């Protein structure tokens, strides 16, 4: 099914026309695609449609993405964060809700409660498997695409005032979209479609400085991240007989290398470079749970593993979830044996199919 049709575009356009205030939300622990797609829509709505927009997400993002926001936007978000009631009220009183880069509101964290039972029209723009379409009035959903940012570009271009002309969108909006495409494709290593390269070519032709995006996203990490990677690859990587590589990132390690959780994005991809590894799993310790990131090579479903063993999901080859204590394992040290058992059971089933 085509994700962007003239009928859907007409409905979106009329929803935007009728709204004075728009809330935009995205998934917890936002990455470049979550921030890029949300910010791009915000800038379009503010600068082209003259709407008031509240863009909200839970938790911090990697400092390499700071460049997306102007100092005054960052300051404003900080001030809202300090006044919980104020931002909740602002989000809840909007005339339209747009949810980007998540399969449903359940991935937005605590703020999902604000929208339950509200009458405001809800729009989803997403590229994950199994979108919660019933919960939305309008749904742009496509999995054969690099990112929510690429899909947002298609949606924005289809609106009458842009009319297919990418150059009519503000430059910061286009930079945000290129950032989302870059990070969700792991710098053009995965999920790259012909449409992705066409989109990027258009963005660059309109003046987006790709070198600057790359510099911020990939060359501004704290030193501790690189030293942590060295430590993990040397001492912290286990590979099961089925070819599942896993690493456990404790809070103690984050402290030792003086980095924040948001600086660990992408590390999970690295073990996939090993020939016999089919899937890579990174566990990050949190209070009474581990957050889990999974990546797999073609032919192995990270999504199914995340659904079956980690209460999660995502994409076929990039997924996430949680390992709950004491529901799944009685204490933290049991995480390794949980993964080893799950890997054995999962591949016994897979390989027998
Ligand atoms: P990451 O490992 O980068 O945090 O997430 C990889 C992919 O899995 C992302 O597309 C993300 O949206 C999805 N994902 C991460 N955590 C969860 C989760 O708890 N539930 C579901 N359904 N998807 C998740
Ligand atoms: Mn995404």
């Amino acid at each position: 099914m085509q994700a962007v049709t003239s009928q859907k575009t007409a409905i979106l356009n009329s929803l935007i026309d009728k709204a004075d205030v728009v809330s935009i939300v995205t998934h917890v622990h936002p990455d470049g695609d979550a921030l890029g797609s949300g910010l791009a829509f915000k800038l379009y709505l503010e600068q082209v449609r003259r709407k008031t927009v509240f863009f909200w997400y839970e938790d911090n993002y990697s400092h390499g993405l700071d460049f997306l926001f102007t100092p005054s936007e960052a300051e404003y978000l900080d001030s809202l964060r300090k006044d919980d009631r104020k931002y909740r009220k602002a989000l809840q009183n909007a005339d339209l809700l747009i949810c980007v880069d998540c399969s449903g509101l359940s991935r937005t964290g605590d703020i999902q409660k604000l929208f339950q039972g509200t009458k405001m029209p809800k729009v989803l723009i997403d590229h994950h498997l199994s979108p919660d379409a019933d919960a939305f009035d309008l749904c742009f959903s496509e999995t054969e695409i690099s990112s929510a940012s690429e899909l947002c570009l298609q949606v924005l271009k289809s609106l009458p005032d842009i009319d297919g002309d990418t150059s009519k969108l503000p430059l910061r909006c286009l930079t945000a979209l290129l950032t989302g495409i870059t990070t969700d494709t792991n710098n053009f290593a995965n999920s790259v479609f012909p449409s992705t390269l066409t989109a990027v070519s258009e963005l660059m032709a309109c003046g987006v400085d790709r070198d600057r995006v790359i510099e911020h996203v990939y060359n501004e990490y704290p030193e501790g991240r690189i030293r942590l990677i060295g430590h993990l690859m040397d001492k912290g990587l286990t590979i099961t007989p089925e070819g599942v590589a896993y690493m456990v990132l404790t809070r103690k390690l984050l402290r030792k290398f003086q980095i924040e959780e948001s600086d660990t994005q992408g590390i999970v991809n690295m073990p996939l470079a090993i020939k016999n590894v089919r899937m890579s799993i990174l566990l990050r310790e949190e209070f009474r749970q581990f957050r889990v990131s999974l990546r797999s090579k073609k032919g192995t479903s990270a999504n199914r593993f995340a659904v079956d063993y980690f209460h999660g999901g995502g994409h076929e080859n990039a997924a996430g979830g949680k390992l709950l204590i004491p529901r799944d394992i009685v204490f933290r040290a049991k995480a390794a044996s949980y993964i080893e058992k799950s890997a054995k059971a999962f591949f016994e089933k897979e390989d027998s199919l």
Side-chain angles (χ1 to χ4, degrees), residues 256-267:
K256 179 175 173 197
F257 288 94
Q258 296 177 7
I259 59 169
E260 293 167 26
E261 200 250 280
S262 55
D263 292 315
T264 63
Q265 283 195 7
I267 295 179

Side-chain angles (χ1 to χ4, degrees), residues 140-192:
F140 296 92
S141 164
E142 173 63 70
T143 54
E144 298 288 296
I145 199 164
S146 64
S147 54
S149 296
E150 186 185 332
L151 184 55
C152 276
L153 178 61
Q154 290 184 7
V155 173
L156 290 169
K157 278 174 67 182
S158 75
L159 290 165
D161 43 8
I162 303 303
D163 194 24
D165 184 353
T166 305
S167 70
K168 287 187 184 160
L169 289 162
L171 184 59
R172 274 187 64 217
C173 167
L174 303 181
T175 302
L177 295 174
L178 182 72
T179 304
I181 296 173
T182 303
T183 55
D184 253 30
T185 57
N186 190 16
N187 203 4
F188 301 93
N190 333 107
S191 316
V192 174

Side-chain angles (χ1 to χ4, degrees), residues 71-260:
S72 65
E73 279 168 348
E75 247 171 57
Y76 180 65
L77 273 173
D78 276 349
S79 73
L80 273 185
R81 275 187 197 287
K82 286 187 190 114
D83 189 347
D84 203 55
R85 276 218 331 262
K86 197 167 142 194
Y87 92 73
R88 284 172 182 272
K89 218 165 156 187
L91 284 172
Q92 205 167 23
N93 287 343
D95 310 306
L96 173 64
L97 175 70
I98 300 179
C99 179
V100 294
D101 196 30
C102 37
S103 50
L105 284 172
S106 63
R107 293 272 299 124
T108 62
D110 219 27
I111 46 175
Q112 63 187 286
K113 293 186 207 129
L114 297 180
F115 305 106
Q116 276 158 7
T118 58
K119 288 209 188 69
M120 79 174 78
K122 299 177 185 64
V123 178
L124 180 70
I125 306 176
D126 184 49
H127 69 127
H128 291 90
L129 297 164
S130 320
D132 186 12
D134 290 347
F136 292 86
D137 302 279
L138 181 63
C139 185
F140 296 92
S141 164
E142 173 63 70
T143 54
E144 298 288 296
I145 199 164
S146 64
S147 54
S149 296
E150 186 185 332
L151 184 55
C152 276
L153 178 61
Q154 290 184 7
V155 173
L156 290 169
K157 278 174 67 182
S158 75
L159 290 165
D161 43 8
I162 303 303
D163 194 24
D165 184 353
T166 305
S167 70
K168 287 187 184 160
L169 289 162
L171 184 59
R172 274 187 64 217
C173 167
L174 303 181
T175 302
L177 295 174
L178 182 72
T179 304
I181 296 173
T182 303
T183 55
D184 253 30
T185 57
N186 190 16
N187 203 4
F188 301 93
N190 333 107
S191 316
V192 174
F193 296 81
S195 60
T196 313
L197 297 178
T198 306
V200 171
S201 164
E202 273 176 34
L203 296 174
M204 290 176 73
C206 289
V208 177
D209 184 348
R210 179 168 176 265
D211 292 343
R212 186 175 146 252
V213 171
I214 301 286
E215 197 59 28
H216 283 302
V217 175
Y218 296 112
N219 295 340
E220 283 181 4
Y221 286 120
E223 180 182 334
R225 171 185 156 102
I226 307 306
R227 298 201 182 278
L228 169 69
I229 291 171
H231 171 84
L232 283 175
M233 297 305 149
D234 184 23
K235 304 239 162 37
L237 180 68
T238 309
I239 303 175
T240 74
E242 299 78 25
V244 175
Y246 66 90
M247 299 172 275
V248 182
L249 195 47
T250 58
R251 283 185 283 204
K252 199 171 151 198
L253 269 181
L254 289 185
R255 269 198 307 276
K256 179 175 173 197
F257 288 94
Q258 296 177 7
I259 59 169
E260 293 167 26

Side-chain angles (χ1 to χ4, degrees), residues 55-76:
F55 174 30
W56 198 256
Y57 42 81
E58 271 180 28
D59 309 314
N60 294 329
Y61 52 83
S62 159
H63 287 303
L65 296 166
D66 283 343
F67 77 99
L68 287 172
F69 299 94
T70 62
S72 65
E73 279 168 348
E75 247 171 57
Y76 180 65

